Amino acid sequence: MMKINLNKAFNNGIADIRIEIQQAKEALALLQSGKGKGNDFLGWLTLPGSITAELISDISNTAEQIRNSSDTVVVVGIGGSYLGARAVIDALTPPFFSHKTEIIYAGHHLDADYYHHLLNYLRNKRWSIVVISKSGTTTEPAVAFRLLRKAHIEAFGLEGANRRTIAITDASKGALRKMANQNGFKTYVIPDDVGGRYSVLTPVGLLPIAISGIDIKHLVEGAKNAEKQLNQPSSENYAILYAAARNKLYREGKKIEMMVTYHPQLLYFIEWWKQLYGESEGKENKGIFVSGATFTTDLHSLGQYIQQGERHLFETLILVENSHQKVSVVNDEQNIDGLNYLSGMDIHNINNTAAQATLLAHCNGGVPNIVLSIDKITPENIGYLIYFYEIACGISGYMLGVNPFDQPGVEDYKVNMFALLGKPGFEQQREQLKKML
Ligand code: PA5
């Protein structure tokens, strides 16, 4: 499914991280014992194995009904209630592909122009809403849902809109649950013990992914394989190796990790990874700053900095060994552009040669590289990678000594925003903040 190579991260490869490997094994054992920090949010650890054929078929049937009744589905959510679905859909959908049912995202920002144009765009379409919020009270999706709901009722009547709305939320708490119960929306539950950023393999991710036409069975299969392999306390366990390597690099002063892909369809996969690691580890004044890049595109922007800027970063490359399609460079008799030396060469090979060349250049420039490889971008491999990154994140967070399953820092901006917007209950903070502005 995947491989990991640390030879371009450390002079002596794995031999240089023996201590960290031992610590990573202990962190995995702590995770599995359920006695570590944040242990009420460990449901994701055994999630793939608990996904039944019945759940897959229920989600697939719901997705099929939505596909049959809708030209467009608006998926409303933010953070962990948005990024996983988008990451997988983008990774597994061929570019320029015309979906039977297109997926549009909302609730992941507060841009007025976007909502104006979205509401115009939806006019005269057959559209449905999948609204996702674990807490059921997050401002961005709640504002978007309020706008969309009004337009939905105007377009399809109250009953029609209710039939065309699916809510994915807590089993009993939150405003979204209340609205769903009152209006009879079909609902799916986000398990209590699975935090937002670990929820892509619950209906939060699986329903939108299935609506996009991707077979979720294969995605889940890949994650199940990963669950079996990556829970072993072995020095061959890729999650142990990745967590050990990045903590070693961090301790040596490499404070920034760039996740690198050579495939634009993985851009949102990196966004998902950034949220997973950024929210899990960035606390108590600690943690690697996570960043991402799509090469070769970004070699023409960030490349200069990576090669010669401050030496505080390392890269993790997701190398894809094979493409699905073959496209060769054509021969040109005139050869004015001088490219005939590439005639007949597959563009994927050129891309991977660019990856090798960049790897060598960046390593020589003082940027260690962890290399993760998969054979192809397939649902199984993406499912495997999802679980790989999740368990490695839990291990890595415990090695760092933080609780990788909370996000107390996210509250600060919310309190300020509520106070400044005049939300009842925040009057005192409002007065204080206004003086500071
Ligand atoms: O990972 C997390 O917990 C967060 O990013 C949440 O997913 C995000 O804040 C959205 O929360 P909710 O699903 O409650 O609307």
Side-chain angles (χ1 to χ4, degrees), residues 39-51:
N39 55 5
D40 41 350
F41 283 102
L42 291 177
W44 57 272
L45 193 59
T46 50
L47 181 68
S50 71
I51 300 174

Side-chain angles (χ1 to χ4, degrees), residues 296-348:
T296 59
T297 312
D298 290 334
L299 288 175
H300 298 259
S301 63
L302 296 171
Q304 171 59 39
Y305 187 99
I306 298 168
Q307 192 66 50
Q308 296 183 327
E310 194 165 343
R311 302 298 71 190
H312 54 179
L313 50 91
F314 68 96
E315 291 172 312
T316 298
L317 165 63
I318 308 175
L319 191 72
V320 180
E321 283 161 5
N322 297 294
S323 59
H324 290 280
Q325 310 296 335
K326 288 223 168 301
V327 181
S328 302
V329 176
V330 292
N331 194 52
D332 179 349
E333 272 181 20
Q334 289 193 350
N335 196 27
I336 296 171
D337 53 15
L339 283 183
N340 273 358
Y341 77 104
L342 296 176
S343 292
M345 198 183 277
D346 187 50
I347 291 184
H348 183 75

Side-chain angles (χ1 to χ4, degrees), residues 77-83 132-141 168-169 190 194-199 204 275-276 279 405-407 410-411 413-414:
I78 195 167
S81 292
Y82 151 67
L83 283 163
I132 309 171
S133 177
K134 180 164 183 189
S135 62
T137 53
T138 308
T139 309
E140 292 90 335
I168 307 179
T169 189
I190 309 175
V194 179
R197 58 191 176 274
Y198 291 83
S199 69
V204 169
Q275 192 225 354
L276 179 62
E279 255 184 23
F405 310 114
D406 66 359
Q407 53 285 327
V410 180
E411 292 313 307
Y413 101 89
K414 289 188 191 168

